[in-house]
Amino acid sequence: MAALYRLALCNIRGYSFRSWVVGLCALLISGLVLATSLILLGAESSLRLAIDRLGADIIVVPEGAATRVETALLMGRPTKVWMPASALDTVAAIPGVEAVSPQVYLASLTNASCCTVSDMFLIVFDPKTDFVVKPWLEKTIGGNLQLGDVIGGSSVYVPEEGIKLYGYYLNLRKNLAPTGTGLDQSLFMTMDTAQEMRRVSLTEAVQPLEIPTNSISAVLVKLKPGANVYAVALEISDRDRTITPIVSPDMFQSYQGQLKGLLGGVLVMIVIILAFSMLLIGLVFSMAANERRRELGVLRAMGASRGFVFRSLVMEAALLAINGGIAGVLLTFLILTLFRNLIISILGMPFLLPSLPVLILLVVGVICLSLVIVVLAASLPAYRISHLDPSIAMRE
Amino acid sequence: MIVLDKVSKIYPISKENQVAAVQDINLEIPMGEFLVITGRSGSGKTTLLNLAAGLTRPTSGRVLFEGVDWWSLPDREQSLTRNQKIGFVFQFPSLLPALTVLENIALPTIINHSQDFQEIYPRAVKLVETLGLSDKRSSYPRQLSAGQQQRVVIARALLNQPAVLLADEPTSNLDEQTELEIMELFAEIHQRTGITIVLVTHSAQLVRFGTQSVQMAVGQVVTKQT
Ligand SMILES: Nc1ncnc2c1ncn2[C@@H]1O[C@H](COP(=O)(O)OP(=O)(O)OP(=O)(O)O)[C@@H](O)[C@H]1O
Ligand SMILES: [Mg+2]
């Protein structure tokens, strides 16, 4: 086996064009399959995590604002939507509802001198009724947010001057765990802090922060155990035509649909690319094997069995596949880390890298895949050449 | 002993036409002989050598190597016999370009994985020395002259200490002086080791190096000399 390996290595060295093509195909296969599964799996788990993070069974938003709110929550693209605060009571009165809590969605200004962070999505909650942020706060900082305190998504950091929005300095108490979604770039604050920021903005900001009185952006709804989400949602839209309930299993539905569409397209593309690379590898391999007919005939004359010739050719293919496969994996990780934001904005969807065991499984899986594809593609030409009459193989 | 018993090798060329590269040949090559086969181009010399080594199946007749019909053996055993018993020197450049001189010489043992490179290394080095290539052992074939390359091929053929050395026009690419040197090398190896040599050439002048000779024409043996 060691000798076979050495011979294969020497031949890889000696036939560089063939080696590059086969290696690049293996790279393409492993890289592409890894990248797409990372992105698709990652998008899926991002969506699920974002739903969990919201922690509500139903989110009620103004009519027609559902998509904008979902986009804001998922991509961190700020949105301002308003509905009368009375919606809170309407929803609370529905049987099956255990708790309701309002949220107000704000945005920081774009490139204004008052602000050190621009275009940030701000989520304002009401500590008196909140059931989403508060339990988490108690667990991590052991209490409530004071006036001026904020909680940041995982990628919120404090610039040198401090976080200043609308001329008002905020104090970052804690970062949330990453979700891969826009929530990672959002700030959570209490109503009091938001009102204080509004007051300061009247004199300090280029443009004052507007929070319409008696208005809210969303109502988070928690149901009693056993209550039917869909029945309650139906009741909500029945009682008030100007508001829209989004039930959490259906949350980000357009994204989930998009994901399914993407998955289908990508699968087709991968199958085409796999078939194409198999063809290409088979072609290049039989070309190279043909070129080496005489050399392989010489090996046979020196006492190499058909099996030896076959194995040494397949061994070459396998070595190329493994090296190409590993290169593809490394390249994928490099690209995904360097261009993560670009990919997210092109895709219009966030993605979260999976946990280490899943990651290792994926990496091993794609390397095996390129190994199998390359070896399969090389097998037929290798078999044909190894079964050629050596005396014919040695003739030009 | 190699025995060809009414051996023919016929190649189809088209639906109607076929070529008898070798036709009804009866030939016995006793052990320890240095047989020189001459004949014009296309007379079937290479085909005869390939048949003798079991590299191609005769269309009819039998080829016996040490009393065993080549074609009664499965591929593995054929290959093992070739590896252990036969050394080949080819008509064309046959060194693997990707391997160094020493690696090329070691190839027969790489193929038959019963031996380790480490084990045969001293033997390979010794052969390199005997054939005057000591300073070339790490060179690649393209860095050698044609004569030097042919010496490497001979060293490779001798590595497994075979019983038979089959040489197909080993000097056809060489100048006269080098040709003589290589032929003397064959004669010297034959004398020293008692190895059986079957050497093909189209030059009648080289017959004197052998202990026997046969002449071929259009697929048949026309004269034998001892
Ligand atoms: N694979 C083959 N297919 C068709 N014809 C073949 C094949 N191999 C050999 N021949 C024919 O058989 C005849 C003998 O060929 P062979 O190579 O044995 O001749 P040779 O004596 O070695 O010639 P040279 O001195 O040129 O090497 C030639 O006419 C050749 O064209
Ligand atoms: Mg010939």
Side-chain angles (χ1 to χ4, degrees):
Chain A
M1 206 61 178
L4 206 64
Y5 177 76
R6 277 168 39 77
L7 189 63
L9 269 190
C10 290
N11 279 324
I12 287 171
R13 207 168 3 114
Y15 294 87
S16 51
F17 171 71
R18 192 272 330 253
S19 301
W20 275 106
V21 172
V22 175
L24 281 177
C25 280
L27 180 147
L28 202 70
I29 294 168
S30 76
L32 212 71
V33 174
L34 182 66
T36 48
S37 34
L38 280 180
I39 290 174
L40 290 179
L41 282 179
E44 166 91 47
S45 68
S46 265
L47 291 181
R48 197 162 329 114
L49 216 66
I51 293 174
D52 288 352
R53 177 65 57 81
L54 284 167
D57 298 313
I58 299 175
I59 298 181
V60 181
V61 297
E63 194 199 357
T67 314
R68 274 155 68 202
V69 171
E70 286 184 350
T71 307
L73 292 173
L74 202 58
M75 302 300 289
R77 199 175 303 139
T79 186
K80 289 181 193 169
V81 296
W82 300 109
M83 59 187 178
S86 61
L88 205 59
D89 301 324
T90 314
V91 176
I94 291 170
V97 172
E98 181 172 305
V100 289
S101 180
Q103 284 194 339
V104 169
Y105 301 139
L106 301 172
S108 64
L109 290 173
T110 308
N111 294 328
S113 59
C114 60
C115 309
T116 51
V117 263
S118 67
D119 263 336
M120 187 175 256
F121 186 46
L122 311 176
I123 299 170
V124 181
F125 63 95
D126 176 12
K128 287 194 285 291
T129 57
D130 170 74
F131 52 86
V132 178
V133 190
K134 222 161 58 177
W136 183 83
L137 283 178
E138 266 153 23
K139 219 164 43 193
T140 51
I141 61 175
N144 259 322
L145 291 181
Q146 305 302 312
L147 190 67
D149 283 354
V150 288
I151 295 293
S154 65
S155 47
V156 172
Y157 67 100
V158 183
E160 220 168 287
E161 289 182 63
I163 300 179
K164 191 169 78 162
L165 296 180
Y166 294 96
Y168 181 67
Y169 280 100
L170 294 163
N171 173 29
L172 181 68
R173 287 294 301 273
K174 193 87 187 171
N175 286 92
L176 295 157
T179 60
T181 68
L183 291 177
D184 290 348
Q185 288 149 44
S186 313
L187 284 180
F188 291 79
M189 63 182 76
T190 61
M191 286 296 187
D192 292 345
T193 305
Q195 288 299 340
E196 184 64 13
M197 192 159 73
R198 186 188 65 86
R199 207 182 48 74
V200 171
S201 76
L202 294 176
T203 53
E204 302 294 321
V206 201
Q207 200 184 314
L209 172 62
E210 282 172 31
I211 309 177
T213 43
N214 271 329
S215 293
I216 54 177
S217 306
V219 179
L220 301 194
V221 183
K222 188 177 173 185
L223 298 185
K224 288 184 179 135
N228 184 321
V229 199
Y230 291 98
V232 174
L234 210 62
E235 186 68 24
I236 292 173
S237 32
D238 270 356
R239 291 208 184 172
D240 188 343
R241 295 272 165 210
T242 65
I243 57 179
T244 308
I246 312 170
V247 302
S248 75
D250 295 349
M251 185 94 178
F252 308 127
Q253 209 166 36
S254 59
Y255 285 93
Q256 282 170 355
Q258 203 178 322
L259 208 58
K260 281 202 193 90
L262 209 62
L263 184 70
V266 162
L267 271 181
V268 169
M269 191 176 78
I270 284 181
V271 167
I272 290 174
I273 285 182
L274 286 190
F276 188 73
S277 354
M278 272 187 89
L279 218 70
L280 188 67
I281 294 167
L283 201 74
V284 172
F285 226 84
S286 59
M287 261 167 54
N290 244 326
E291 220 176 279
R292 284 163 66 189
R293 265 169 64 160
R294 185 169 255 189
E295 177 185 318
L296 296 169
V298 167
L299 281 181
R300 295 275 284 128
M302 285 191 296
S305 62
R306 285 183 196 133
F308 180 90
V309 171
F310 178 77
R311 281 195 304 275
S312 77
L313 286 171
V314 168
M315 173 78 107
E316 280 171 41
L319 284 176
L320 289 170
I322 290 173
N323 283 308
I326 291 173
V329 166
L330 295 180
L331 198 68
T332 300
F333 280 125
L334 192 72
I335 288 174
L336 285 192
T337 33
L338 284 183
F339 301 109
R340 185 183 172 135
N341 290 333
L342 188 70
I343 294 170
I344 290 178
S345 73
I346 289 173
L347 218 61
M349 211 180 297
F351 65 91
L352 196 64
L353 287 185
S355 62
L356 199 62
V358 177
L359 208 60
I360 290 172
L361 212 70
L362 268 177
V363 166
V364 172
V366 295
I367 291 175
C368 287
L369 180 73
S370 46
L371 185 68
V372 167
I373 296 285
V374 170
V375 165
L376 272 184
S379 283
L380 187 67
Y383 181 86
R384 282 220 321 260
I385 281 287
S386 65
H387 277 69
L388 199 64
D389 183 326
S391 73
I392 290 176
M394 283 190 290
R395 289 177 72 89
E396 280 291 82
Chain B
M1 184 135 86
I2 303 172
V3 178
L4 281 81
D5 176 18
K6 283 202 231 96
V7 171
S8 297
K9 180 71 187 181
I10 292 161
Y11 290 109
I13 297 181
S14 61
K15 273 206 178 95
E16 302 91 43
N17 279 320
Q18 51 187 35
V19 178
V22 159
Q23 199 159 28
D24 274 331
I25 282 191
N26 290 301
L27 187 66
E28 283 187 14
I29 307 167
M31 284 298 153
E33 292 295 334
F34 186 162
L35 175 68
V36 179
I37 300 176
T38 57
R40 294 183 49 185
S41 185
S43 57
K45 306 182 296 294
T46 299
T47 307
L48 184 71
L49 273 195
N50 286 337
L51 285 164
L55 283 177
T56 192
R57 191 193 277 272
T59 314
S60 63
R62 291 189 313 155
V63 184
L64 308 180
F65 186 84
E66 293 184 337
V68 182
D69 187 341
W70 271 120
W71 298 95
S72 69
L73 301 173
D75 177 65
R76 277 194 66 86
E77 280 176 51
Q78 273 189 359
S79 300
L80 194 65
T81 307
R82 266 198 292 277
N83 184 255
Q84 299 295 301
K85 300 278 175 70
I86 299 179
F88 245 108
V89 179
F90 302 90
Q91 195 172 2
F92 49 86
S94 64
L95 295 173
L96 267 55
L99 302 184
T100 65
V101 165
L102 209 59
E103 285 168 336
N104 261 293
I105 292 176
L107 213 51
T109 47
I110 292 183
I111 287 168
N112 166 29
H113 18 75
S114 63
Q115 279 162 304
D116 199 51
F117 186 67
Q118 252 62 41
E119 270 176 57
I120 53 94
Y121 183 79
R123 212 196 301 162
V125 169
K126 192 149 176 286
L127 266 171
V128 161
E129 272 170 24
T130 334
L131 298 189
L133 294 160
S134 291
D135 53 335
K136 302 287 184 201
R137 57 167 94 154
S138 316
S139 307
Y140 286 92
R142 67 187 129 76
Q143 297 165 326
L144 303 184
S145 72
Q148 287 166 335
Q149 284 187 30
Q150 210 56 324
R151 281 170 188 275
V152 177
V153 175
I154 294 169
R156 181 177 69 185
L158 294 174
L159 184 77
N160 276 348
Q161 292 160 332
V164 179
L165 188 61
L166 302 178
D168 191 358
E169 303 195 31
T171 59
S172 58
N173 290 326
L174 308 177
D175 60 83
E176 239 170 287
Q177 186 56 39
T178 319
E179 176 170 68
L180 284 181
E181 277 174 32
I182 296 283
M183 287 310 293
E184 271 153 20
L185 180 62
F186 275 111
E188 191 262 321
I189 291 167
H190 177 246
Q191 250 162 28
R192 186 159 48 81
T193 62
I195 192 174
T196 311
I197 298 182
V198 181
L199 187 144
V200 163
T201 176
H202 52 245
S203 151
Q205 290 157 8
L206 300 183
V207 169
R208 64 186 163 92
F209 286 96
T211 56
Q212 277 190 9
S213 73
V214 300
Q215 198 190 346
M216 288 187 70
V218 280
Q220 285 175 314
V221 173
V222 284
T223 56
K224 291 187 198 186
Q225 269 173 14
T226 327

